Amino acid sequence: GKTVISKHRNTRYYSCRVTKVAIQTFYKIVFDDGSFSSDTFPEDIVSRDCLKLGPPAEGEVVQVKWPDGILYGAKYLGTNVDQMCQVEFEDGSQLTVKREEIYTQDEELPKRVKARLSTASAMKYEETFYGEELIQGEKKRQRLLNGRLKNEYVNESGYRMFFMSSFQQKCQNRL
């Protein structure tokens, strides 16, 4: 596992380790609405068993099942072969990314990557954010009254009950 820099799910770039490299064939297609995809998986074409029969003929009309589950009409334009790398970040999370989306340690980083480059830090307040009692919902942050509204807030339960009941009455009258 070579150490590289790649984008994490949180959209920041971190140092990570390559755990697996593979070649992936994608299909280039243009949809009936004119939109284009160069990274459609062969198994997403449902009008033909591309895994058994291979790609359709260029220009052939196909049906594509998109991640939203809907079938879309499209035209097959060709293949696109990419080297894919599985990377593992220091937090243990893993992503599969295209080779052009990772950077080696000695490679010059583009400005957009430098601007989002981070280093993983130890979570010294981890139990504050991920503690067992927070996961179970036992602790809640106490609401504090805005200091500017302190003199305008009515803390009398009778007033609140009056306003709530009159509001509910108005809502019911509208129905």
Side-chain angles (χ1 to χ4, degrees), residues 74-162:
K75 189 182 292 184
Y76 173 78
L77 300 178
T79 60
N80 180 26
V81 179
D82 279 324
Q83 185 178 25
M84 304 296 289
C85 300
Q86 183 176 18
V87 296
E88 184 174 343
F89 295 91
E90 290 179 21
D91 66 359
S93 64
Q94 295 183 347
L95 285 177
T96 301
V97 295
K98 292 181 180 179
R99 169 56 187 97
E100 63 262 16
E101 296 173 355
I102 64 174
Y103 304 92
T104 61
Q105 297 287 359
D106 56 338
E107 201 172 336
E108 179 68 27
L109 298 176
K111 285 184 182 180
R112 65 178 170 75
V113 174
K114 284 182 184 176
R116 307 218 32 95
L117 185 61
S118 295
T119 56
S121 58
M123 292 186 59
K124 68 181 191 180
Y125 301 110
E126 184 171 5
E127 52 283 335
T128 304
F129 297 109
Y130 299 107
E132 189 66 33
E133 62 277 351
L134 289 176
I135 293 169
Q136 295 172 359
E138 293 176 11
K139 281 190 177 180
K140 289 189 177 180
R141 191 176 73 173
Q142 184 179 4
R143 274 185 192 250
L144 298 175
L145 184 61
N146 185 329
R148 291 182 296 161
L149 303 175
K150 186 168 59 177
N151 296 331
E152 298 174 18
Y153 181 70
V154 178
N155 196 17
E156 185 68 39
S157 62
Y159 284 117
R160 278 189 285 173
M161 290 303 291
F162 169 75

Side-chain angles (χ1 to χ4, degrees), residues 9-34:
R9 283 187 184 93
N10 67 8
T11 72
R12 305 228 16 118
Y13 286 82
Y14 294 93
S15 180
C16 54
R17 191 175 49 84
V18 175
T19 57
K20 189 176 178 184
V21 177
I23 301 296
Q24 175 67 51
T25 299
F26 294 107
Y27 287 172
K28 295 186 279 188
I29 55 173
V30 63
F31 291 97
D32 292 344
D33 68 358

